[in-house]
PDB file of all heavy atoms in Angstrom:
ATOM      1  N   VAL A   1       0.853  -1.192   0.000  1.00  0.00           N
ATOM      2  CA  VAL A   1       0.000   0.000   0.000  1.00  0.00           C
ATOM      3  C   VAL A   1       0.890   1.242   0.000  1.00  0.00           C
ATOM      4  O   VAL A   1       1.580   1.509   0.989  1.00  0.00           O
ATOM      5  CB  VAL A   1      -0.935   0.039   1.224  1.00  0.00           C
ATOM      6  CG1 VAL A   1      -1.837   1.269   1.159  1.00  0.00           C
ATOM      7  CG2 VAL A   1      -1.768  -1.241   1.317  1.00  0.00           C
ATOM      8  N   PRO A   2       0.894   2.008  -1.094  1.00  0.00           N
ATOM      9  CA  PRO A   2       1.671   3.245  -1.096  1.00  0.00           C
ATOM     10  C   PRO A   2       0.879   4.388  -0.460  1.00  0.00           C
ATOM     11  O   PRO A   2      -0.351   4.391  -0.457  1.00  0.00           O
ATOM     12  CB  PRO A   2       1.875   3.511  -2.589  1.00  0.00           C
ATOM     13  CG  PRO A   2       0.647   2.933  -3.235  1.00  0.00           C
ATOM     14  CD  PRO A   2       0.272   1.729  -2.397  1.00  0.00           C
ATOM     15  N   LEU A   3       1.608   5.338   0.091  1.00  0.00           N
ATOM     16  CA  LEU A   3       1.026   6.613   0.496  1.00  0.00           C
ATOM     17  C   LEU A   3       1.665   7.650  -0.412  1.00  0.00           C
ATOM     18  O   LEU A   3       2.844   7.983  -0.271  1.00  0.00           O
ATOM     19  CB  LEU A   3       1.316   6.925   1.965  1.00  0.00           C
ATOM     20  CG  LEU A   3       0.961   8.347   2.439  1.00  0.00           C
ATOM     21  CD1 LEU A   3      -0.519   8.645   2.187  1.00  0.00           C
ATOM     22  CD2 LEU A   3       1.309   8.548   3.897  1.00  0.00           C
ATOM     23  N   MET A   4       0.906   8.147  -1.380  1.00  0.00           N
ATOM     24  CA  MET A   4       1.443   9.056  -2.370  1.00  0.00           C
ATOM     25  C   MET A   4       1.664  10.430  -1.738  1.00  0.00           C
ATOM     26  O   MET A   4       0.781  10.962  -1.062  1.00  0.00           O
ATOM     27  CB  MET A   4       0.490   9.169  -3.559  1.00  0.00           C
ATOM     28  CG  MET A   4       0.017   7.825  -4.117  1.00  0.00           C
ATOM     29  SD  MET A   4       1.366   6.728  -4.634  1.00  0.00           S
ATOM     30  CE  MET A   4       2.035   7.649  -6.039  1.00  0.00           C
ATOM     31  N   THR A   5       2.864  10.977  -1.954  1.00  0.00           N
ATOM     32  CA  THR A   5       3.200  12.277  -1.380  1.00  0.00           C
ATOM     33  C   THR A   5       3.365  13.363  -2.425  1.00  0.00           C
ATOM     34  O   THR A   5       3.304  14.550  -2.089  1.00  0.00           O
ATOM     35  CB  THR A   5       4.500  12.186  -0.560  1.00  0.00           C
ATOM     36  OG1 THR A   5       5.590  11.870  -1.437  1.00  0.00           O
ATOM     37  CG2 THR A   5       4.379  11.115   0.526  1.00  0.00           C
ATOM     38  N   GLY A   6       3.634  12.965  -3.692  1.00  0.00           N
ATOM     39  CA  GLY A   6       3.780  13.947  -4.761  1.00  0.00           C
ATOM     40  C   GLY A   6       5.074  14.720  -4.706  1.00  0.00           C
ATOM     41  O   GLY A   6       5.282  15.644  -5.487  1.00  0.00           O
ATOM     42  N   SER A   7       5.977  14.378  -3.811  1.00  0.00           N
ATOM     43  CA  SER A   7       7.231  15.095  -3.648  1.00  0.00           C
ATOM     44  C   SER A   7       8.239  14.190  -2.950  1.00  0.00           C
ATOM     45  O   SER A   7       7.922  13.588  -1.920  1.00  0.00           O
ATOM     46  CB  SER A   7       7.009  16.367  -2.812  1.00  0.00           C
ATOM     47  OG  SER A   7       8.186  16.769  -2.145  1.00  0.00           O
ATOM     48  N   SER A   8       9.438  14.121  -3.509  1.00  0.00           N
ATOM     49  CA  SER A   8      10.474  13.292  -2.896  1.00  0.00           C
ATOM     50  C   SER A   8      10.882  13.820  -1.530  1.00  0.00           C
ATOM     51  O   SER A   8      11.093  13.052  -0.583  1.00  0.00           O
ATOM     52  CB  SER A   8      11.701  13.239  -3.812  1.00  0.00           C
ATOM     53  OG  SER A   8      11.410  12.524  -4.996  1.00  0.00           O
ATOM     54  N   VAL A   9      11.003  15.139  -1.406  1.00  0.00           N
ATOM     55  CA  VAL A   9      11.379  15.725  -0.126  1.00  0.00           C
ATOM     56  C   VAL A   9      10.299  15.470   0.917  1.00  0.00           C
ATOM     57  O   VAL A   9      10.578  15.121   2.066  1.00  0.00           O
ATOM     58  CB  VAL A   9      11.654  17.230  -0.276  1.00  0.00           C
ATOM     59  CG1 VAL A   9      11.827  17.893   1.095  1.00  0.00           C
ATOM     60  CG2 VAL A   9      12.901  17.457  -1.120  1.00  0.00           C
ATOM     61  N   ARG A  10       9.059  15.639   0.499  1.00  0.00           N
ATOM     62  CA  ARG A  10       7.956  15.384   1.438  1.00  0.00           C
ATOM     63  C   ARG A  10       7.955  13.918   1.882  1.00  0.00           C
ATOM     64  O   ARG A  10       7.736  13.611   3.057  1.00  0.00           O
ATOM     65  CB  ARG A  10       6.624  15.742   0.794  1.00  0.00           C
ATOM     66  CG  ARG A  10       5.418  15.536   1.709  1.00  0.00           C
ATOM     67  CD  ARG A  10       4.172  16.169   1.111  1.00  0.00           C
ATOM     68  NE  ARG A  10       2.967  15.721   1.800  1.00  0.00           N
ATOM     69  CZ  ARG A  10       2.562  16.144   2.989  1.00  0.00           C
ATOM     70  NH1 ARG A  10       3.295  17.023   3.645  1.00  0.00           N
ATOM     71  NH2 ARG A  10       1.454  15.684   3.533  1.00  0.00           N
ATOM     72  N   ALA A  11       8.217  13.008   0.943  1.00  0.00           N
ATOM     73  CA  ALA A  11       8.281  11.584   1.294  1.00  0.00           C
ATOM     74  C   ALA A  11       9.400  11.335   2.292  1.00  0.00           C
ATOM     75  O   ALA A  11       9.227  10.608   3.282  1.00  0.00           O
ATOM     76  CB  ALA A  11       8.485  10.739   0.039  1.00  0.00           C
ATOM     77  N   GLY A  12      10.561  11.944   2.050  1.00  0.00           N
ATOM     78  CA  GLY A  12      11.686  11.760   2.956  1.00  0.00           C
ATOM     79  C   GLY A  12      11.417  12.334   4.339  1.00  0.00           C
ATOM     80  O   GLY A  12      11.737  11.716   5.357  1.00  0.00           O
ATOM     81  N   ARG A  13      10.805  13.505   4.398  1.00  0.00           N
ATOM     82  CA  ARG A  13      10.519  14.132   5.691  1.00  0.00           C
ATOM     83  C   ARG A  13       9.456  13.362   6.454  1.00  0.00           C
ATOM     84  O   ARG A  13       9.542  13.189   7.669  1.00  0.00           O
ATOM     85  CB  ARG A  13      10.067  15.579   5.485  1.00  0.00           C
ATOM     86  CG  ARG A  13      11.165  16.483   4.936  1.00  0.00           C
ATOM     87  CD  ARG A  13      10.804  17.938   5.083  1.00  0.00           C
ATOM     88  NE  ARG A  13      10.707  18.301   6.489  1.00  0.00           N
ATOM     89  CZ  ARG A  13       9.709  19.036   7.004  1.00  0.00           C
ATOM     90  NH1 ARG A  13       8.727  19.438   6.234  1.00  0.00           N
ATOM     91  NH2 ARG A  13       9.705  19.339   8.288  1.00  0.00           N
ATOM     92  N   LEU A  14       8.446  12.888   5.720  1.00  0.00           N
ATOM     93  CA  LEU A  14       7.377  12.138   6.383  1.00  0.00           C
ATOM     94  C   LEU A  14       7.918  10.825   6.940  1.00  0.00           C
ATOM     95  O   LEU A  14       7.590  10.436   8.073  1.00  0.00           O
ATOM     96  CB  LEU A  14       6.241  11.877   5.385  1.00  0.00           C
ATOM     97  CG  LEU A  14       4.954  11.266   5.941  1.00  0.00           C
ATOM     98  CD1 LEU A  14       4.427  12.064   7.123  1.00  0.00           C
ATOM     99  CD2 LEU A  14       3.900  11.182   4.835  1.00  0.00           C
ATOM    100  N   SER A  15       8.782  10.146   6.174  1.00  0.00           N
ATOM    101  CA  SER A  15       9.390   8.909   6.646  1.00  0.00           C
ATOM    102  C   SER A  15      10.209   9.165   7.907  1.00  0.00           C
ATOM    103  O   SER A  15      10.139   8.397   8.875  1.00  0.00           O
ATOM    104  CB  SER A  15      10.283   8.313   5.552  1.00  0.00           C
ATOM    105  OG  SER A  15      11.014   7.207   6.031  1.00  0.00           O
ATOM    106  N   ALA A  16      10.987  10.255   7.903  1.00  0.00           N
ATOM    107  CA  ALA A  16      11.829  10.573   9.056  1.00  0.00           C
ATOM    108  C   ALA A  16      10.986  10.887  10.292  1.00  0.00           C
ATOM    109  O   ALA A  16      11.308  10.438  11.404  1.00  0.00           O
ATOM    110  CB  ALA A  16      12.725  11.763   8.722  1.00  0.00           C
ATOM    111  N   GLU A  17       9.908  11.628  10.121  1.00  0.00           N
ATOM    112  CA  GLU A  17       9.081  11.991  11.265  1.00  0.00           C
ATOM    113  C   GLU A  17       8.288  10.796  11.783  1.00  0.00           C
ATOM    114  O   GLU A  17       8.079  10.658  12.997  1.00  0.00           O
ATOM    115  CB  GLU A  17       8.169  13.152  10.895  1.00  0.00           C
ATOM    116  CG  GLU A  17       8.953  14.429  10.599  1.00  0.00           C
ATOM    117  CD  GLU A  17       8.094  15.680  10.600  1.00  0.00           C
ATOM    118  OE1 GLU A  17       7.030  15.683  11.264  1.00  0.00           O
ATOM    119  OE2 GLU A  17       8.494  16.648   9.934  1.00  0.00           O
ATOM    120  N   LEU A  18       7.878   9.908  10.889  1.00  0.00           N
ATOM    121  CA  LEU A  18       7.203   8.691  11.344  1.00  0.00           C
ATOM    122  C   LEU A  18       8.173   7.809  12.139  1.00  0.00           C
ATOM    123  O   LEU A  18       7.780   7.189  13.137  1.00  0.00           O
ATOM    124  CB  LEU A  18       6.640   7.921  10.141  1.00  0.00           C
ATOM    125  CG  LEU A  18       5.387   8.523   9.496  1.00  0.00           C
ATOM    126  CD1 LEU A  18       5.044   7.786   8.212  1.00  0.00           C
ATOM    127  CD2 LEU A  18       4.203   8.470  10.461  1.00  0.00           C
ATOM    128  N   PHE A  19       9.429   7.761  11.694  1.00  0.00           N
ATOM    129  CA  PHE A  19      10.431   6.977  12.423  1.00  0.00           C
ATOM    130  C   PHE A  19      10.590   7.517  13.845  1.00  0.00           C
ATOM    131  O   PHE A  19      10.712   6.741  14.804  1.00  0.00           O
ATOM    132  CB  PHE A  19      11.761   7.002  11.682  1.00  0.00           C
ATOM    133  CG  PHE A  19      12.783   6.038  12.212  1.00  0.00           C
ATOM    134  CD1 PHE A  19      12.666   4.682  11.969  1.00  0.00           C
ATOM    135  CD2 PHE A  19      13.859   6.493  12.960  1.00  0.00           C
ATOM    136  CE1 PHE A  19      13.608   3.780  12.466  1.00  0.00           C
ATOM    137  CE2 PHE A  19      14.807   5.613  13.463  1.00  0.00           C
ATOM    138  CZ  PHE A  19      14.678   4.249  13.206  1.00  0.00           C
ATOM    139  N   GLU A  20      10.578   8.837  13.963  1.00  0.00           N
ATOM    140  CA  GLU A  20      10.677   9.448  15.292  1.00  0.00           C
ATOM    141  C   GLU A  20       9.485   9.072  16.171  1.00  0.00           C
ATOM    142  O   GLU A  20       9.578   9.045  17.395  1.00  0.00           O
ATOM    143  CB  GLU A  20      10.767  10.973  15.163  1.00  0.00           C
ATOM    144  CG  GLU A  20      12.087  11.470  14.596  1.00  0.00           C
ATOM    145  CD  GLU A  20      13.261  11.114  15.490  1.00  0.00           C
ATOM    146  OE1 GLU A  20      13.136  11.308  16.714  1.00  0.00           O
ATOM    147  OE2 GLU A  20      14.290  10.647  14.970  1.00  0.00           O
ATOM    148  N   ARG A  21       8.355   8.753  15.537  1.00  0.00           N
ATOM    149  CA  ARG A  21       7.143   8.399  16.281  1.00  0.00           C
ATOM    150  C   ARG A  21       6.942   6.886  16.374  1.00  0.00           C
ATOM    151  O   ARG A  21       5.875   6.422  16.746  1.00  0.00           O
ATOM    152  CB  ARG A  21       5.920   9.074  15.647  1.00  0.00           C
ATOM    153  CG  ARG A  21       5.986  10.605  15.692  1.00  0.00           C
ATOM    154  CD  ARG A  21       4.677  11.229  15.300  1.00  0.00           C
ATOM    155  NE  ARG A  21       3.598  10.868  16.223  1.00  0.00           N
ATOM    156  CZ  ARG A  21       2.343  11.330  16.121  1.00  0.00           C
ATOM    157  NH1 ARG A  21       2.030  12.176  15.152  1.00  0.00           N
ATOM    158  NH2 ARG A  21       1.415  10.946  16.969  1.00  0.00           N
ATOM    159  N   GLY A  22       7.978   6.124  15.993  1.00  0.00           N
ATOM    160  CA  GLY A  22       7.925   4.686  16.197  1.00  0.00           C
ATOM    161  C   GLY A  22       7.376   3.865  15.054  1.00  0.00           C
ATOM    162  O   GLY A  22       6.998   2.701  15.255  1.00  0.00           O
ATOM    163  N   VAL A  23       7.352   4.434  13.836  1.00  0.00           N
ATOM    164  CA  VAL A  23       6.868   3.705  12.664  1.00  0.00           C
ATOM    165  C   VAL A  23       7.984   3.630  11.633  1.00  0.00           C
ATOM    166  O   VAL A  23       8.501   4.662  11.175  1.00  0.00           O
ATOM    167  CB  VAL A  23       5.634   4.380  12.038  1.00  0.00           C
ATOM    168  CG1 VAL A  23       5.200   3.630  10.765  1.00  0.00           C
ATOM    169  CG2 VAL A  23       4.488   4.432  13.038  1.00  0.00           C
ATOM    170  N   ASN A  24       8.374   2.425  11.246  1.00  0.00           N
ATOM    171  CA  ASN A  24       9.437   2.228  10.265  1.00  0.00           C
ATOM    172  C   ASN A  24       8.837   1.959   8.889  1.00  0.00           C
ATOM    173  O   ASN A  24       8.275   0.896   8.639  1.00  0.00           O
ATOM    174  CB  ASN A  24      10.333   1.050  10.678  1.00  0.00           C
ATOM    175  CG  ASN A  24      11.480   0.838   9.711  1.00  0.00           C
ATOM    176  OD1 ASN A  24      12.201   1.767   9.374  1.00  0.00           O
ATOM    177  ND2 ASN A  24      11.646  -0.397   9.256  1.00  0.00           N
ATOM    178  N   VAL A  25       8.937   2.947   8.011  1.00  0.00           N
ATOM    179  CA  VAL A  25       8.475   2.802   6.626  1.00  0.00           C
ATOM    180  C   VAL A  25       9.394   3.649   5.760  1.00  0.00           C
ATOM    181  O   VAL A  25       9.778   4.761   6.138  1.00  0.00           O
ATOM    182  CB  VAL A  25       7.003   3.242   6.462  1.00  0.00           C
ATOM    183  CG1 VAL A  25       6.801   4.702   6.872  1.00  0.00           C
ATOM    184  CG2 VAL A  25       6.531   3.019   5.031  1.00  0.00           C
ATOM    185  N   GLN A  26       9.764   3.131   4.603  1.00  0.00           N
ATOM    186  CA  GLN A  26      10.756   3.818   3.790  1.00  0.00           C
ATOM    187  C   GLN A  26      10.129   4.605   2.645  1.00  0.00           C
ATOM    188  O   GLN A  26       9.086   4.227   2.102  1.00  0.00           O
ATOM    189  CB  GLN A  26      11.771   2.821   3.246  1.00  0.00           C
ATOM    190  CG  GLN A  26      12.646   2.222   4.342  1.00  0.00           C
ATOM    191  CD  GLN A  26      13.763   1.381   3.795  1.00  0.00           C
ATOM    192  OE1 GLN A  26      13.690   0.865   2.689  1.00  0.00           O
ATOM    193  NE2 GLN A  26      14.823   1.229   4.573  1.00  0.00           N
ATOM    194  N   PRO A  27      10.791   5.698   2.258  1.00  0.00           N
ATOM    195  CA  PRO A  27      10.308   6.499   1.128  1.00  0.00           C
ATOM    196  C   PRO A  27      10.796   5.927  -0.200  1.00  0.00           C
ATOM    197  O   PRO A  27      11.873   5.335  -0.277  1.00  0.00           O
ATOM    198  CB  PRO A  27      10.943   7.863   1.393  1.00  0.00           C
ATOM    199  CG  PRO A  27      12.243   7.522   2.077  1.00  0.00           C
ATOM    200  CD  PRO A  27      11.956   6.301   2.919  1.00  0.00           C
ATOM    201  N   ILE A  28       9.998   6.108  -1.227  1.00  0.00           N
ATOM    202  CA  ILE A  28      10.407   5.798  -2.598  1.00  0.00           C
ATOM    203  C   ILE A  28      10.388   7.121  -3.350  1.00  0.00           C
ATOM    204  O   ILE A  28       9.337   7.753  -3.486  1.00  0.00           O
ATOM    205  CB  ILE A  28       9.449   4.796  -3.272  1.00  0.00           C
ATOM    206  CG1 ILE A  28       9.334   3.524  -2.422  1.00  0.00           C
ATOM    207  CG2 ILE A  28       9.933   4.466  -4.676  1.00  0.00           C
ATOM    208  CD1 ILE A  28      10.605   2.734  -2.283  1.00  0.00           C
TER     209      ILE A  28
END
């Protein structure tokens, strides 16, 4: 299941902030 972000930077930032909140998911 992808979560479309429409931006590579947004995907990277969202992945990093989710990791800080205890969720491990990687950006594409």
